[in-house]
Every structure is written in C-alpha cells, then in structure tokens.
Amino acid sequence: MCRMAAIKSKTPVPPALALRMMLAMQKGHDNSGFAMVMQDLGGAFAEFKKFPLLSMACTSQGLERAEELLEELGFSPKFDYQPDVVNKPGLDFRRMPHYIFRNYRYPEPLNAAYPNQPTPEQKKLLVETRLKLREVLSHDKQGFVYSFWPDVLTLKEVGDPRDIGTYFQMWDDNHWLKARVISAQCRQNTNYRIVRYAAHPFFLEGYTLMGNGENTFYQKNKEFQQRLHPAYIGFESDTQCFLYTLHYIREELGWPLPYYKHVITPLTFEEMQRRSDADVLMRVRQSLMHLEINGPNTVVFVLPDGAMGVIADAKKLRPYVIGKDGDLVVSASEVCGVNMIIPDRNTEADIYPGERETVLIDNALEVQRWQQ
Amino acid sequence: MATIKADEIKLAPQNNGNDKVNGLRVPSAPSTHIIKPTFVRDSHAMDFPWKIKWNAETCIRCGSCVATCTFGAIKPQLQRKGQALSTGHLPSPIEATEVIMAIKQVNDPKYYCRGCEMCEKVCPTDSIKPVPNEQHRFPLVARHGGSPIKRGGRGHHIPIRVLDYIKVGRISQMTDPSLDAARHTFDLLTPLGRGLPADELPFKVENGKLVPGGSIPPMRWIYPVIIGDMSVGALSWRMWEALALAVAYLNEECKMPVRMSSGEGGMPSRLLKSEFLKYFIIQIASGHFGWNRIIKAMPEMVTDPAAILIKIGQGAKPGDGGLLPAEKVASHIQAIRGVPKADLMSPPNHQGLYSIEESVQKMFLSMNAAFKFRVPVAIKVAASSTSVAVFNNLVRDPYQIVGGYFLDGIQGGTGAAHEVSMDHTGHPILSKLRDCYLAAVDQGKQGQIPLFVGGGFGDTGDLAADAFKAICLGANGVFSAKIWLQLAGCVGNEKGRCNACNTGYCPVGICTQDHRLVARLDVDAVAQNIVDYFLALDQELKKLMAPIGNSTLPIGRSDALVSMSKSAAERLQIAYAC
Ligand code: SF4
Ligand code: SF4
C-alpha cells in the first residue's frame, strides 16, 4: 500500500516533515521512491510565486532540448535554483544528472500580466508546453518533466526515501525549500520496475492529487479518459485517473466539487432513489459510468485555490486520518504519521473521513465536511 | 438373371395349425409366410438421429409411450413371436408362436423420432428409450419432396464454446481486498436508453447543484439479464404467461428490475393496458405482427413500456425473416396478431427501409414519436461482419435517439427456421461484442448506446458466468431465451435433441398452441422455476463480482478476464493464461 502524507500549514514548512511521516509509516523493506508536490512556496521561491516554475529531472542532452524548446516558445528564465546535494557513496537511489527548478517568464503577449491564478490562455500554454517537454524528453529517455506551473514544485525519485532526503539535504529543518501545502507519497515493496511518472502526487493545471489503493476500474477509467483531453496521457499509475476525473469534472464540465464524489463513488441506486435529485444523479452515473473507481482508495487532492480535500472509497477500505494542531493540519494514511508531527494535538478531534464524506480544508485551515 | 418376387418366397409347412401347447396355438404352417424384401431406398430407423430401444420383456403394454409421443414416432404393432415349447418329461420341443403387441419406431422421415425422451419419462417400467444414432443419414432422407429441412430450437454445428475458455483471472489478493458477496451492497443495474456525453447533459448549476435544464433521451436502469424475445405464437400462451408472471414477481416482490421482450407477436390487451406494461420491451419486427392491437391499446395505456425493440435480424437465422407455421396459428394467435390462419412469414427486411441513415430517421423517429420520446427505442440485429459499421453509424447519429444495440449471435435459438440457415449462417457473438465495444472506446463513446448481447448465453445452464464474462468484455447486459424454456421443461439441446419447436407438437407444451399439449405445462411451477433461477443467478453474479473487488457491474473491465485459448485472447484483446 502506498503511504501518504499531506500537510497544510499557515506558515511555510520544510519537506523534512513529510519525510519523517513517511519513515514513521514505513513497514518492511522500502526502496521504491519518494514523490512530493509542494505548493504555496516559501523559501527560495517565495519571491517568484507568479512565475511558472518548471520541475524537471533530466540528462544534459535532455536539458539542452528542453531549453531549446522553451526558448522557441518564447519563455525566458527568471530564476533558477540549483539545489546543493550531498553526494555520499552508498546512497540507494537512481540519480538523474540534472534537477531543474526554474521560474520562467511567459512569452509575449502573455507576459503582460502575472495574476495570482494564470489566465485561461496562460493555463493552456503551460499545459501544452509541459506536454511538449514531456514528449521531447521521452525520446531516448532524456528525462522527466513533472510540473510547469506557478508556485508548484515537484520532486519524484526512485530509491530509499531516507537516502533521497539525504541527497537533497531535506532532513534539514532550515531547508532552502518550504511550502504551505505539501503532498507526499511513498510506495512500498510492490513495484520494483516503477517509473518516475508513475509516482503520485500528480499535477495538472492547478490540481494535485494522490491516492492510496487500487483502482479496480483503472482500465475503464483509462479507456474513457484518453479521449477526453489531450493532457490525459501517461496512465503509468492507476491513481492518475483520479486526477483526470477531478480535472474533468471541475475544469471541463464546470460542475461543483460535490459531484466529484458522485462520479467516482456513486450512491447505490437504492440511496439515489430516495433523493429529490435522483434524476440528475442517475444521469450523471450513466454518462460517467466509466469514471467510477470501485476499489479501495483514499484520494487526497489540492485544488487550484490551495484548498486540500480528502475522499474515501465507498466501502471505506483504505484508512486515512486528519489531525489539526494550531496552524498545522496534518493528514496521513496511518495515524502514526500524524503523531510524528503533531503528537500533542487533541486526538479526539481527528477526522477519519467516512465512505460518503468529502473533507475540505481551506487556506484558513477551516475544515468543511459534507455527506455525498 | 431370374428375379425372385416377394410372394414367391415361402417357407415349408411344419404342422397343420391345430396343435396347442399350454393353451397357446401353435401356428399353422404358414403356407404363405412372406418375407418382404427391403428396398434400399426406403427409409429406416437406422437413417434417423434417434433409434428407439424397447424391451419386450419388461413392457406391460400400457400404451403410455405411444399416447405421449407427439410426433407419431412410435406405434403399437401386432407381432408374431415364435418360441420353442416342451411339456413332457423328456425334452420334445415344438415351435409355437404368440401374437404380441410390440412398440415399433415409425420409419417415415415425416414422423422421425426427435429423441425427446417423453416416452421414457412416462414409461412406468423403464422399457423404452431413444438412443442417439451417430451413424444416421437423416440429412439425406429428410429432403424428400424437394423441401428444405426446417427445424426450431438451436443450431448444432458449433465446434467450440469460447466462453468456457475464458476465466475470471484477476482476483483481488492482498493488493486490494475481495468483497463479501453476502454482506457488501452490490449494484447490479445497467442502463437501457441513450446516454449523453457528460458535456451535453442539459444541466445548469444552481446554488452549487446541478439541475435539469432541457430535454434528455429516455433511459431506464434495469437488471443486466433480459428475457429475450419470444413471441406469443412461437411460445404457447401458457409459456408466455409463465414468463410474464415470473417477470412481474421478480419486479414486484424481489425488487429485481428484470425486463422481458415481447417478441414479434404482440401482447395480450389486458397486459398492454396494465401497470405491468412497464416491465416489458415491446418488439416490432418486419411483419409488424400484433401492432394493430398495440396501437389500439395506446390511448388506454396507464404506463409506458420499458422500451421498444426494433428487430432487424436474429442471430440463429440471420438474413431470414420470422416464420410461424400455420399449425401454430391457433385462433387466439390470429386474434393477437390480427391475421388469418396461414404460414406467417415476416420478410427478411423492414419493407421501405433502404439505408441505415434513413432507417434511423424513419423507424426510430416514428417509434420515438409514438411514445412521445418517453420510451427508449433500441435495435436488434444479428451479429455479422458488418456489426461494427452499423454500430458506428448509430453511435454517430446526430439525433441521439438509438437507445440500445442488441446484438444476437449464431448460438441463439428460434421458433422455426430452415436448418441450413440455423446451422450455417451467423456470426459468433463474442468477437462482435468486443469489436463494437472497442469501436465505442476508440471514439470515446462507450456507454452512449448500451450494448446487449445474446446467442448462446446460458447454454450450459450457467447464465451468470456467461453474462459476467460478456459484461467484462463490454456488454451492458445479455438477453437470453432458451434457458427459460429449459427451466420450463424444454428437452431440446445443442446436440439435436427435440428442436421440434416449428412443428406445433412440442412435447412439453412450450411452443405449441394445441390445448392438449399446452395442458402439460404448469404455469405457476414454471414461473417459480424462473424466479428461483433469477434469484440464484443474482447471487452468482455477486459471487463473481466480489473476488475482483467490484460492487458495480464491471462493464468493459476486460482486465478481469484471462483466456486459456491464445487465439481467443488475441482476438478479444484479453490476457492469455495457461
Ligand atoms: S423420444 Fe420422443 S419422439 Fe422419440 S419416440 Fe419417444 S416420445 Fe416419440
Ligand atoms: S421441448 Fe418444445 S420447446 Fe423444447 S425443443 Fe422440443 S419442441 Fe422446442
């Protein structure tokens, strides 16, 4: 089972928190990696929040190709951060020659404004550019591009999370990188042929998502999604499907968030029939039958406005717990992960999302909960 | 060479005919004891697919078998039986004969034995039974008079049953938990009716909620196993009634929304005007039989039917129209269908339809309009190499009025057909189901026209497993017909037993209109059998869904299946396993 850790804080926190949570939850041998999306950044990137930030790991040739492409498209570098690394012998992880965390300026004419949220044109360009970069880098395996979005940084590594932390000096509480929202995930044991693109959290157009479990309708989801949007690609992991569905419901259909739960874990017909909106729900179910997940899963997501949500599967087959202490909401797939960071909280106030529940934590750390 | 005439062959006299032994008359010397020569062109029981074995020693001559055989395939016959008798202290045998009643198989191909085993069933002393005759020459003797062989039931020349090579191979083990078939909630419903792409649903957002804001094609959520189309006419009225009773019971008492197709032959007026109409899919086929009555009943209908099914073709005899032999057109059938007593032949085509596009406009629109766009209108075609082309055309139809695609494979059954059609035309269903589903996937339109498949599902008695595999391959559900007849006592099978549905002499009263035969059917018992089967099937479907960790129908979840045949795996695009 993947273990997940999500942190939402009023002040920027370092990734060490997430790493510590991971180790608390680790069982058995573990070297299949660590992946993390950080949003609402502090630290080195705090001043460049509105400039698209490229997160990429690649070879020299890959870097060259990517830079060429970005230049061709009219992007120009604004700020580049080269992380200091500790290259000790014996670190167990698959290193890439270059790690790029770089802010860019939009090309003309989109560089006229840098709003808090990218404009529709800017969004479109960023998504298209990431897809192009991905394609360019995929030739001869020259690298991976994870996100290209303002105020979002992604790291995905394959190996022992402990060593990954050491290499990037992430055990340091005064790390160069801090964020108010961190979503992190480690897989354990099951997948030795994992590719970096398969590691969640995944990011698309302002939406971040990770999940722990098995999407038993992966094939149905994938076959349906691959025709819905050009960015719905890859499918290296069955969890990607949850992100694409969230994106589709919100961005493409413009439906309110509660319908995400109605789509991925529809109510039983018996329950639906008792409701006044049964007609709508039955149509939603018919049209989006192939986006149901129907397996054991907890889905954790971050919306473009920074709110973080948690949804469990309809049979509550995967655990997840949310704890709150002061300016910090910490959630994890196991309670020991939460205890690691906020041991002295009032555990009675912990939230274990129910099978019909959606939990949403906004930027003021107010928690909203509603039943499907 | 001199020829010998039959009456020239005589046996020598042996006594004067007055001898008696133990009261038995020792026959007179048959001075004119004639042996008839066998003409090779005459048909004989050896030519027939079934031979009757009769035991003279145990038979008590009650006559039950002869009375029961509806095909006239056996007859009583007096037979002289010779025996050696000896009465004294010392053996002094003399030949004696006795006239006994014997049961004989009729040698006329018109009355050939169908192997229905009714004689065996009624015999109190187990003295008679049909045995299959592998060496028969029936196809050679049955075309006497220049008529093609006709038959009912099912085809015989299906070399393999691919469904049996397919297993549910993706079991939830540790990576995700299996479900508990007895305790989890399962949602086994499937949509019938046109589905819209989500971005075309006429919804508005109001106060954070989606609310309907326009018209939308009709749709029903139904049980994924439909009782396939069999008409009143092809079936006896009691058999049809038993099916209808079972359907009503399943819906009203068991809360299982099972739907039944009427077949092309109309429906009883009382049913048309009742609340129960909502459980029925009314079929219209090229003969439009029964529609006079349906149209007349419309103003008095208190509810809408579940759907309308336009039948273009049938898997068991594709390209051939319906056929109801005059023998089965009894007075009540004439009334329901509005026809005189005659062979009722639906044309192979809907007259006046000449292209898919035009038929969509004409047929679908008129059927939709007839019920004011409140009832899904689906189409049934025989599986064929062209199935995908038709499907694509319907999927792309801009009016979005095709509410279901019913695809019927070669292993389906029929009330009556030419044997050559049944045995040699048609297309196996699985590959066409898969092709259509994948064609929808290619266009991102899966589910927009629900796919229902039929033709051989449940042939082995395990309908749940067959239906489940079809669903994983992309079907929204299956329709099945023969199995309900079998539950009613039909003795026909794929190996050629009975299949006399065309004759009007159905030995169990299922597909005949003869009162005496229909009386053999116990309507309530048949309905109960069907209900029981559905209840068991429901449990079995859950037993298949639970281990793959699914609580809703895994439509298109082909990764749950493995095939033990490489070629089937390749063709169906599922994993091969050995
Ligand atoms: S098996 Fe059927 S058809 Fe044959 S003799 Fe017996 S009753 Fe008649
Ligand atoms: S028993 Fe009746 S329904 Fe069954 S095959 Fe024979 S004639 Fe047909």
Side-chain angles (χ1 to χ4, degrees):
Chain A
M1 188 177 86
C2 304
R3 52 204 200 279
M4 302 193 290
I7 301 165
K8 189 149 171 58
S9 164
K10 283 191 181 163
T11 52
V13 294
L17 267 55
L19 271 174
R20 274 190 228 127
M21 290 172 75
M22 287 303 162
L23 293 194
M25 292 186 282
Q26 179 179 345
K27 284 168 212 72
H29 153 74
D30 183 357
N31 76 346
S32 57
F34 173 78
M36 172 175 70
V37 175
M38 302 176 81
Q39 289 166 271
D40 199 348
L41 301 171
F45 293 98
E47 287 170 44
F48 308 101
K49 277 174 159 310
K50 292 175 183 172
F51 294 86
L53 170 56
L54 178 66
S55 301
M56 182 169 85
C58 55
T59 62
S60 302
Q61 208 186 338
L63 180 57
E64 222 169 278
R65 286 187 192 171
E67 283 175 337
E68 261 170 40
L69 176 74
L70 286 162
E71 202 180 320
E72 221 170 84
L73 293 171
F75 285 97
S76 61
K78 168 82 180 169
F79 173 72
D80 183 59
Y81 190 89
Q82 287 295 321
D84 292 323
V85 294
V86 179
N87 209 349
K88 282 202 301 199
L91 292 183
D92 172 19
F93 86 106
R94 289 187 228 156
R95 227 158 305 162
M96 289 297 287
H98 297 278
Y99 290 95
I100 306 300
F101 303 103
R102 189 181 290 169
N103 292 105
Y104 278 88
R105 294 184 193 87
Y106 290 110
E108 301 220 18
L110 298 181
N111 61 355
Y114 285 83
N116 284 339
Q117 292 288 328
T119 63
E121 295 76 33
Q122 288 170 337
K123 282 186 185 178
K124 190 163 176 272
L125 177 71
L126 291 178
V127 172
E128 281 170 8
T129 306
R130 181 178 57 80
L131 296 178
K132 281 182 191 153
L133 284 168
R134 181 180 163 131
E135 206 195 324
V136 161
L137 292 176
S138 67
H139 293 148
D140 313 323
K141 300 194 174 125
Q142 297 297 339
F144 306 88
V145 55
Y146 307 115
S147 55
F148 187 31
W149 202 258
D151 216 13
V152 173
L153 182 143
T154 308
L155 180 72
K156 293 190 181 185
E157 287 306 313
V158 178
D160 186 330
R162 219 180 286 262
D163 293 347
I164 295 166
T166 305
Y167 182 78
F168 290 102
Q169 298 187 345
M170 284 195 291
W171 290 110
D172 180 0
D173 277 337
N174 289 316
H175 194 245
W176 52 274
L177 194 57
K178 285 191 169 118
R180 288 183 188 81
V181 185
I182 300 179
S183 331
Q185 177 269 149
C186 279
R187 281 180 175 228
Q188 41 198 27
N189 303 341
T190 50
N191 193 349
Y192 298 102
R193 299 226 308 249
I194 186 170
V195 292
R196 283 173 159 80
Y197 279 138
H200 31 131
F202 302 106
F203 179 84
L204 171 63
E205 214 176 341
Y207 295 84
T208 306
L209 184 142
M210 58 185 177
N212 64 340
E214 190 78 15
N215 177 3
T216 58
F217 278 176
Y218 164 64
Q219 193 195 9
K220 287 167 55 129
N221 286 184
K222 174 180 148 180
E223 284 176 349
F224 192 69
Q225 289 171 335
Q226 64 198 3
R227 304 281 311 191
L228 286 179
H229 193 282
Y232 300 170
I233 56 162
F235 298 99
E236 291 86 359
S237 154
D238 57 6
T239 304
Q240 249 162 329
C241 301
F242 307 152
L243 171 69
Y244 297 156
T245 298
L246 177 63
H247 179 268
Y248 182 66
I249 301 284
R250 302 283 294 137
E251 291 295 304
E252 299 295 301
L253 298 178
W255 290 357
L257 184 63
Y259 290 92
Y260 180 48
K261 178 86 176 140
H262 281 300
V263 169
I264 61 172
T265 65
L267 291 171
T268 61
F269 289 104
E270 225 184 314
E271 288 166 305
M272 267 186 214
Q273 255 139 13
R274 286 199 293 264
R275 292 174 53 131
S276 56
D277 57 351
D279 273 3
V280 166
L281 295 183
M282 297 223 187
R283 292 295 176 168
V284 167
R285 185 163 184 173
Q286 183 193 19
S287 291
L288 296 177
M289 191 190 265
H290 292 264
L291 295 182
E292 200 188 322
I293 61 176
N294 210 264
N297 267 291
T298 298
V299 178
V300 179
F301 55 87
V302 182
L303 300 176
D305 65 3
M308 180 181 270
V310 180
I311 284 178
D313 64 80
K315 288 169 220 76
K316 188 77 171 77
L317 292 167
R318 281 289 193 257
Y320 202 77
V321 55
I322 304 166
K324 187 177 172 190
D325 199 6
D327 283 352
L328 212 52
V329 173
V330 177
S331 63
S333 36
E334 289 171 60
V335 74
C336 58
V338 181
N339 291 346
M340 185 55 129
I341 308 298
I342 42 172
D344 302 324
R345 73 190 184 282
N346 171 16
T347 50
E348 278 176 21
D350 284 357
I351 299 171
Y352 292 81
E355 67 269 23
R356 290 291 171 212
E357 197 172 22
T358 301
V359 179
L360 197 69
I361 305 139
D362 67 15
N363 293 337
L365 302 193
E366 293 296 329
V367 179
Q368 283 182 59
R369 303 168 68 171
W370 66 82
Q371 293 295 319
Q372 182 175 1
Chain B
M1 199 171 86
T3 47
I4 302 172
K5 286 190 188 150
D7 32 356
E8 287 172 5
I9 306 169
K10 292 179 184 166
L11 295 180
Q14 287 181 348
N15 65 39
N16 61 10
N18 295 324
D19 296 356
K20 283 203 172 173
V21 178
N22 279 354
L24 287 172
R25 190 174 66 85
V26 177
S28 65
S31 51
T32 51
H33 205 133
I34 298 167
I35 297 175
K36 278 196 181 167
T38 299
F39 291 108
V40 288
R41 67 167 184 270
D42 286 349
S43 54
H44 182 270
M46 66 178 253
D47 295 328
F48 300 161
W50 299 87
K51 280 207 233 171
I52 287 298
K53 283 270 170 285
W54 171 71
N55 186 337
E57 303 303 321
T58 53
C59 173
I60 55 168
R61 276 65 177 181
C62 68
S64 302
C65 56
V66 177
T68 299
C69 178
T70 52
F71 303 106
I74 41 178
K75 60 177 183 191
Q77 187 174 293
L78 291 177
Q79 187 177 345
R80 190 165 61 186
K81 186 180 164 201
Q83 48 191 308
L85 291 174
S86 173
T87 50
H89 296 295
L90 293 171
S92 58
I94 57 168
E95 188 198 20
T97 55
E98 180 190 7
V99 174
I100 60 162
M101 176 85 81
I103 303 294
K104 282 277 173 198
Q105 184 166 359
V106 174
N107 286 346
D108 185 337
K110 265 203 246 157
Y111 304 104
Y112 77 102
C113 168
R114 306 281 183 146
C116 73
E117 290 175 341
M118 291 309 287
C119 49
E120 186 178 354
K121 219 171 194 174
V122 297
C123 176
T125 58
D126 282 342
S127 301
I128 187 165
K129 66 170 179 193
V131 288
N133 175 19
E134 279 178 14
Q135 312 295 334
H136 73 85
R137 306 165 60 240
F138 192 64
L140 302 173
V141 299
R143 289 178 171 91
H144 273 317
S147 334
I149 304 174
K150 292 195 195 81
R151 205 179 71 216
R154 62 281 282 158
H156 299 164
H157 291 192
I158 307 296
I160 54 164
R161 198 170 179 277
V162 176
L163 276 167
D164 292 339
Y165 286 83
I166 297 174
K167 304 288 171 198
V168 180
R170 189 271 175 212
I171 309 297
S172 302
Q173 296 285 287
M174 302 289 282
T175 53
D176 57 303
S178 294
L179 302 181
D180 184 331
R183 278 184 297 178
H184 275 111
T185 311
F186 290 82
D187 254 357
L188 282 102
L189 303 188
T190 198
L192 169 60
R194 178 69 181 218
L196 291 186
D199 54 359
E200 289 177 31
L201 284 170
F203 292 161
K204 296 175 292 196
V205 181
E206 270 175 21
N207 302 325
K209 290 206 141 213
L210 295 177
V211 291
S215 70
I216 190 161
M219 182 268 291
R220 329 259 191 240
W221 286 97
I222 65 168
Y223 200 75
V225 176
I226 294 176
I227 296 187
D229 23 341
M230 295 177 284
S231 63
V232 197
L235 296 189
S236 66
W237 72 95
R238 283 175 80 111
M239 181 64 220
W240 204 93
E241 188 186 353
L243 285 168
L245 262 180
V247 166
Y249 190 89
L250 285 164
N251 278 278
E252 302 271 316
E253 298 297 323
C254 313
K255 304 293 168 226
M256 288 169 68
V258 174
R259 298 291 174 261
M260 164 176 166
S261 168
S262 66
E264 187 201 15
M267 283 171 66
S269 287
R270 218 149 52 96
L271 187 50
L272 286 169
K273 296 174 196 167
S274 79
E275 271 294 339
F276 299 113
L277 178 63
K278 58 178 179 276
Y279 305 141
F280 291 84
I281 297 170
I282 311 183
Q283 185 174 92
I284 180 162
S286 55
H288 298 191
F289 291 126
W291 272 79
N292 203 6
R293 189 182 273 231
I294 293 168
I295 289 166
K296 281 190 187 143
M298 269 184 187
E300 290 169 73
M301 283 180 186
V302 292
T303 185
D304 287 327
I308 303 295
L309 184 60
I310 301 173
K311 178 184 144 189
I312 301 290
Q314 187 177 345
K317 49 170 178 180
D320 220 350
L323 172 61
L324 189 69
E327 298 85 67
K328 291 173 77 172
V329 187
S331 55
H332 55 281
I333 301 301
Q334 295 169 32
I336 292 183
R337 297 195 175 201
V339 291
K341 187 170 182 73
D343 278 352
L344 300 183
M345 286 176 284
S346 308
N349 285 315
H350 284 260
Q351 305 298 303
L353 299 185
Y354 50 85
S355 74
I356 304 175
E357 296 77 7
E358 174 268 350
S359 77
V360 164
Q361 292 199 27
K362 204 188 263 176
M363 192 99 198
F364 280 87
L365 272 176
S366 52
M367 278 296 134
N368 270 290
F371 289 92
K372 303 206 167 45
F373 293 84
R374 290 188 314 253
V375 177
V377 180
I379 181 176
K380 174 179 168 181
V381 295
S384 139
S385 307
T386 60
S387 301
V388 177
V390 176
F391 180 66
N392 278 339
N393 211 300
L394 299 177
V395 159
R396 291 187 204 135
D397 129 58
Y399 306 98
Q400 294 170 323
I401 50 173
V402 180
Y405 193 55
F406 285 57
L407 203 53
D408 193 14
I410 189 169
Q411 277 153 282
T414 176
H418 287 98
E419 184 163 274
V420 70
S421 306
M422 283 179 75
D423 289 352
H424 300 285
T425 61
H427 198 297
I429 187 65
L430 291 186
S431 57
K432 277 303 132 192
L433 155 65
R434 196 73 183 128
D435 290 352
C436 288
Y437 181 74
L438 292 176
V441 168
D442 263 356
Q443 302 165 68
K445 290 181 186 290
Q446 52 271 60
Q448 289 184 22
I449 295 191
L451 273 166
F452 287 86
V453 289
F457 294 94
D459 272 356
T460 57
D462 295 329
L463 180 54
D466 292 355
F468 184 80
K469 292 169 190 175
I471 287 170
C472 288
L473 290 171
N476 284 72
V478 300
F479 51 94
S480 196
K482 285 173 296 185
I483 188 164
W484 316 118
L485 307 189
Q486 246 132 357
L487 286 166
C490 162
V491 292
N493 68 12
E494 272 62 27
K495 294 185 185 132
R497 193 164 71 185
C498 197
N499 291 314
C501 322
N502 60 318
T503 59
Y505 300 118
C506 170
V508 293
I510 290 174
C511 50
T512 168
Q513 305 303 335
D514 184 320
H515 289 257
R516 293 160 303 174
L517 296 178
V518 175
R520 291 180 180 181
L521 203 73
D522 178 338
V523 176
D524 294 328
V526 170
Q528 183 172 346
N529 263 357
I530 293 168
V531 167
D532 284 350
Y533 191 90
F534 259 107
L535 296 177
L537 175 142
D538 193 56
Q539 299 286 318
E540 286 167 354
L541 275 179
K542 290 174 187 166
K543 275 282 174 203
L544 291 165
M545 287 162 70
I548 65 166
N550 286 157
S551 58
T552 58
L553 288 179
I555 297 165
R557 204 191 149 187
S558 57
D559 61 315
L561 302 179
V562 296
S563 163
M564 294 166 78
S565 145
K566 240 183 189 155
S567 37
E570 203 174 299
R571 181 68 181 80
L572 300 174
Q573 297 187 30
I574 57 177
Y576 164 66
C578 56

